[in-house]
Amino acid sequence: MDLEHLATASGEWLRGAGPESDIVMSSRVRLARNVEGFPFLGRADVEQRRQLEAILRDAVTGALADAGEGDAGVLYMPLEDAADLDLRLLVERHLISRELADGEGARGVAFSRSEGTAVMVNEEDHLRAQVLRSGLELEACWVDLDRLDDAVAERVAYAFSPDLGYLTACPTNVGTGMRVSVMLHLPGLVWTEQIPKVFESIRRMGLAVRGLYGEGTQASGDFFQVSNQRTLGVSETEIIGSLGSVVPRILSYERRAREGLLEKSRRQVDDRVSRAYGMLRHARTISSEETLLFLSAVRLGVNLGLIDDLPISRVNELFILSQPAHLQKISGQVLEREARNAARAEFLRLRLNGRDSAGA
Amino acid sequence: MDLEHLATASGEWLRGAGPESDIVMSSRVRLARNVEGFPFLGRADVEQRRQLEAILRDAVTGALADAGEGDAGVLYMPLEDAADLDLRLLVERHLISRELADGEGARGVAFSRSEGTAVMVNEEDHLRAQVLRSGLELEACWVDLDRLDDAVAERVAYAFSPDLGYLTACPTNVGTGMRVSVMLHLPGLVWTEQIPKVFESIRRMGLAVRGLYGEGTQASGDFFQVSNQRTLGVSETEIIGSLGSVVPRILSYERRAREGLLEKSRRQVDDRVSRAYGMLRHARTISSEETLLFLSAVRLGVNLGLIDDLPISRVNELFILSQPAHLQKISGQVLEREARNAARAEFLRLRLNGRDSAGA
């Protein structure tokens, strides 16, 4: 499969529509499932892996087509022999996990053209299915994912215990096998240094907070993923409900922080936003980390009405497209760090100035 | 006298023409003179000061008119009751020293409309006359100043000793009373960290190196003033010759440093220059210090051909016009530090974007 087309535009779920999308970048629900009669992958041999991959490839592509995408809307990419750059590209788009990219043996990913739905085959569990949507749309994600899950279940028998629920490789997923998360943009709370306090209360309410790329990664660019911890002994609706009750409170903290910033230090906020925009439009070499920080400030600026010549969709898209694998796909070659930083600066100038403005 | 017109344009000597003006901002020669029959100012009473001011006001305005400016081209500003903002404006334009601005009693300054010639009355000495020119033009400065000095001498008798030469309030000026200096822009040597080495050799050759506003001030924005130390036992031509032989060597060091930067780290230089330009065009609040640093990088960028949409004259002018007193004159009101920083940012955006670009 050719991933070129992925490199020049982001998935629809990042377009910046959807409820509360000034703060909620995206909502995501995923299910972990395993196939009855096969060992968990940690104990599966090469041949069992291969069998699983073959069975599940058919099952998930068929289910995806049935669940609404139609045959033409479904892509399957086997990953065993995939080029490293393609694997990184899929990670950067949140279509696969780093674990699946770095894994070995027969494995793959099926996803819809809109990239709203993706199913990993032979990651930690036999199946990891996710639905992503722009803005705060957890219920809608769940409705879509539930339908897909049913469609897969018509094709394969899941490992299921009447006592425990769905069986998973890691005990933390047993039960519903469900992880529900929202990606939040919280520059107001970061800039006013209220993040530790807010995170403490999120954690006290039994939710987890992580960085941009999930478990073990540092939060960066003022983006944070909030997700459920419990999967056992609670229903899917309860899990969604627990996020659904906490997230609005975080949103109101963030909004109050933004209002406070505008009231008390409008000029400093405006300056920080405008300088960040200037840096993105003028840098000749720029790292991923700097880009993330500046884009975060610009995103806040657009949402506060301080920047009015830039649609939020373009800003959201740049978070994805300015990442290393995307830049290399766009430029059509493997680039070392220094060349990537120069290519990133050029790409940002083009996208934000509408032309390759030399110093100008 | 109304100084409004000074606030919106710089003096001609800063327009960026003249030999070597990519590095030499300006050349300056000044003479210290005292009037025979009057004590030095440290021992003069209020009435003697007043007499001196009256005598010298006539003498210098007459001499300036004779020496080439004509009556219409000469301005005299008494400073005893001058508004503080006007005094700061004159300091920022290098027309008077901080000492004269902060002084007391009858005193003043005469200058040509082009601001190339200025004579301070009752500073440390009774007279301090200077000629400023763009680029490396020490001989031409001296020719003009010598003619003015002769024209003043026709009107008042200077305190002069056949053994020592011209007598001055401070022994370091006795003899010729002459100080010759060039203001150099040395970002190449600063960025490549060769400044200490170069300064050491300048000092070993008997010259002094100082910051942007003369004695006791910190060098800033990569600008340095190089001047003679000796005034006694050497002729005027020898003093000019000593700078004339050292400055070209500094210029060649600076040029080599700039070439080295372009060869070895063109991208980093381009990035630094372009980001500085971006900051000046996007900041919403900016201090004098930051402005100086960014303008210095932009000035280098223009001279290296990395920025091609900005005439050097505009950059040179911004160094002067973005200073506190100028900003307040331009805005027509006294501004506290925070308001000044915002006014400075707005002024820079206007001058560099040609419009008040909101974030855009």
Side-chain angles (χ1 to χ4, degrees):
Chain A
M1 195 176 73
D2 183 7
L3 295 182
E4 299 303 322
H5 74 283
L6 292 189
T8 53
S10 70
E12 269 173 40
W13 61 272
L14 242 183
R15 291 293 159 84
E20 321 286 6
S21 59
D22 56 331
I23 299 175
V24 186
M25 287 284 273
S26 57
S27 299
R28 175 176 171 270
V29 181
R30 74 112 170 100
L31 293 174
R33 296 288 185 257
N34 289 275
V35 180
E36 207 178 47
F38 281 89
F40 290 132
L41 289 161
R43 288 179 288 116
D45 61 27
V46 171
E47 184 46 35
Q48 287 170 317
R49 261 190 174 268
R50 199 169 308 281
Q51 283 176 32
L52 274 167
E53 199 266 339
I55 294 167
L56 290 172
R57 176 200 300 222
D58 286 348
V60 296
T61 51
L64 268 169
D66 275 10
E69 303 285 345
D71 283 339
V74 181
L75 303 164
Y76 184 85
M77 183 158 174
L79 300 178
E80 187 166 9
D81 302 314
D84 188 61
L85 197 56
D86 287 340
L87 292 169
R88 300 301 137 202
L89 192 81
L90 294 168
V91 171
E92 290 178 0
R93 296 180 87 81
H94 302 270
L95 288 171
I96 67 173
S97 62
R98 288 192 178 166
E99 290 66 30
L100 189 67
D102 296 342
E104 288 190 346
R107 63 203 196 283
V109 62
F111 54 96
S112 60
R113 278 200 188 274
S114 69
E115 300 176 39
T117 310
V119 186
M120 294 190 283
V121 173
N122 289 354
E123 203 242 25
E124 183 179 296
D125 294 293
H126 299 162
L127 280 189
R128 287 274 177 107
Q130 72 170 16
V131 171
L132 266 169
R133 276 178 175 248
S134 185
L136 186 58
E137 291 266 42
L138 288 172
E139 288 82 1
C141 288
W142 171 233
V143 168
D144 287 356
L145 189 55
D146 194 25
R147 189 185 309 133
L148 174 66
D149 188 42
D150 289 347
V152 176
E154 286 169 18
R155 289 164 169 87
V156 291
Y158 286 148
F160 183 85
S161 141
D163 290 343
L164 294 171
Y166 294 100
L167 301 177
T168 54
C170 176
T172 57
N173 288 309
V174 166
T176 55
M178 187 195 227
R179 184 83 65 208
V180 175
S181 63
V182 287
M183 182 65 70
L184 303 175
H185 185 219
L186 303 175
L189 293 172
V190 174
W191 294 15
T192 56
E193 294 172 359
Q194 298 179 76
I195 279 289
K197 192 185 70 189
V198 172
F199 280 13
E200 202 192 307
S201 36
I202 295 175
R203 288 190 175 117
R204 263 206 309 269
M205 288 181 282
L207 300 179
V209 184
R210 301 188 185 89
L212 200 51
Y213 283 87
E215 279 183 78
T217 67
Q218 274 284 321
S220 46
D222 313 327
F223 288 97
F224 303 93
Q225 194 194 71
V226 176
S227 62
N228 65 309
Q229 297 267 38
R230 276 182 78 188
T231 57
L232 185 65
V234 281
S235 72
E236 286 82 355
T237 348
E238 280 167 342
I239 294 173
I240 287 176
S242 74
L243 255 85
S245 70
V246 172
V247 170
R249 274 190 271 171
I250 306 175
L251 300 190
S252 87
Y253 288 138
E254 171 64 17
R255 293 220 168 86
R256 219 176 305 153
R258 291 182 184 186
E259 281 159 22
L261 281 171
L262 279 186
E263 268 167 39
K264 284 178 209 146
S265 42
R266 186 184 180 95
R267 184 171 288 151
Q268 280 64 35
V269 173
D270 198 9
D271 185 56
R272 190 162 165 178
V273 162
S274 186
R275 285 183 184 218
Y277 197 14
M279 291 298 251
L280 292 171
R281 295 170 79 177
H282 284 84
R284 300 280 156 168
T285 172
I286 192 166
S287 68
S288 297
E289 296 75 20
E290 262 195 310
T291 303
L292 201 53
L293 284 172
F294 293 146
L295 281 176
S296 170
V298 165
R299 189 177 194 279
L300 178 64
V302 172
N303 281 323
L304 293 179
L306 300 172
I307 294 176
D308 56 14
D309 65 348
L310 197 59
I312 195 74
S313 58
R314 189 177 307 170
V315 183
N316 287 350
E317 199 167 67
L318 288 177
F319 284 104
I320 300 294
L321 302 184
S322 63
Q323 296 175 100
H326 277 79
L327 289 172
Q328 295 175 77
K329 270 285 173 188
I330 293 166
S331 76
Q333 56 189 317
V334 174
L335 301 171
E336 294 307 313
R337 186 177 171 78
E338 205 190 326
R340 272 207 312 273
N341 289 348
R344 180 178 296 111
E346 192 187 346
F347 176 74
L348 290 166
R349 287 202 308 282
L350 274 166
R351 288 279 174 138
L352 292 173
N353 292 322
R355 67 209 153 88
D356 183 0
S357 68
Chain B
M1 194 176 74
D2 183 8
L3 296 182
E4 299 303 323
H5 73 281
L6 292 190
T8 52
S10 70
E12 269 173 39
W13 61 273
L14 242 183
R15 292 294 158 83
E20 322 286 6
S21 58
D22 56 331
I23 299 174
V24 186
M25 287 284 274
S26 57
S27 300
R28 176 176 172 269
V29 181
R30 74 112 170 102
L31 293 175
R33 297 288 185 258
N34 290 275
V35 180
E36 207 178 45
F38 281 88
F40 289 132
L41 289 162
R43 287 179 288 118
D45 60 29
V46 171
E47 185 46 35
Q48 287 170 317
R49 261 189 175 269
R50 198 168 309 280
Q51 283 176 31
L52 275 167
E53 200 266 340
I55 294 167
L56 290 172
R57 176 200 298 224
D58 286 348
V60 297
T61 50
L64 269 169
D66 276 10
E69 303 286 344
D71 282 339
V74 181
L75 303 164
Y76 184 84
M77 183 159 176
L79 300 179
E80 188 166 8
D81 302 313
D84 189 61
L85 197 54
D86 287 340
L87 292 169
R88 299 301 138 202
L89 192 81
L90 294 168
V91 171
E92 290 178 0
R93 296 179 87 81
H94 301 271
L95 288 171
I96 67 173
S97 62
R98 288 191 178 167
E99 290 67 29
L100 189 67
D102 296 342
E104 289 191 343
R107 63 203 195 284
V109 62
F111 54 96
S112 60
R113 278 200 189 275
S114 69
E115 299 176 38
T117 310
V119 186
M120 293 190 283
V121 173
N122 289 355
E123 202 242 25
E124 184 178 295
D125 295 293
H126 299 163
L127 280 189
R128 287 276 178 106
Q130 72 170 14
V131 171
L132 267 168
R133 276 178 175 247
S134 185
L136 186 58
E137 290 267 41
L138 289 172
E139 287 82 2
C141 287
W142 171 234
V143 168
D144 287 356
L145 188 56
D146 194 24
R147 189 186 309 133
L148 174 66
D149 188 41
D150 289 347
V152 177
E154 285 169 18
R155 288 162 168 89
V156 291
Y158 285 148
F160 184 85
S161 141
D163 288 344
L164 294 172
Y166 294 100
L167 302 177
T168 54
C170 175
T172 57
N173 288 310
V174 167
T176 55
M178 188 195 226
R179 184 83 64 208
V180 174
S181 64
V182 286
M183 183 65 70
L184 303 177
H185 185 219
L186 303 176
L189 293 172
V190 174
W191 294 14
T192 56
E193 294 171 359
Q194 297 180 76
I195 278 290
K197 193 186 70 188
V198 172
F199 281 13
E200 202 192 307
S201 35
I202 294 175
R203 288 189 176 120
R204 263 206 311 269
M205 288 181 282
L207 300 178
V209 183
R210 303 188 184 89
L212 200 51
Y213 283 86
E215 280 183 78
T217 67
Q218 275 283 323
S220 45
D222 313 328
F223 288 97
F224 304 93
Q225 193 194 73
V226 176
S227 63
N228 65 310
Q229 298 268 39
R230 276 183 78 188
T231 57
L232 185 65
V234 281
S235 72
E236 287 82 354
T237 348
E238 280 168 340
I239 294 173
I240 288 176
S242 75
L243 255 83
S245 70
V246 172
V247 170
R249 272 190 273 172
I250 307 174
L251 301 190
S252 86
Y253 288 139
E254 171 64 18
R255 293 223 167 84
R256 220 176 305 152
R258 291 182 184 187
E259 281 159 23
L261 280 171
L262 279 187
E263 267 167 40
K264 285 179 209 145
S265 42
R266 186 184 179 95
R267 184 172 287 150
Q268 280 64 35
V269 173
D270 198 9
D271 185 57
R272 191 162 164 178
V273 162
S274 185
R275 286 183 183 218
Y277 197 15
M279 291 299 250
L280 293 171
R281 295 170 79 177
H282 285 83
R284 300 281 158 168
T285 172
I286 191 166
S287 67
S288 298
E289 297 74 21
E290 262 195 310
T291 303
L292 202 53
L293 284 172
F294 293 146
L295 280 175
S296 170
V298 166
R299 189 176 196 279
L300 178 64
V302 173
N303 281 323
L304 293 180
L306 300 172
I307 294 176
D308 56 13
D309 64 349
L310 198 58
I312 195 75
S313 57
R314 189 176 309 172
V315 183
N316 288 349
E317 199 166 66
L318 288 178
F319 284 105
I320 300 293
L321 303 183
S322 64
Q323 297 175 101
H326 277 79
L327 289 172
Q328 295 175 78
K329 270 286 174 188
I330 293 166
S331 76
Q333 56 190 317
V334 174
L335 301 171
E336 294 307 312
R337 185 176 171 78
E338 205 191 325
R340 272 207 312 275
N341 290 347
R344 180 177 297 110
E346 191 187 347
F347 175 74
L348 290 166
R349 287 202 309 280
L350 274 165
R351 288 280 173 137
L352 293 173
N353 292 323
R355 67 208 153 90
D356 183 1
S357 68

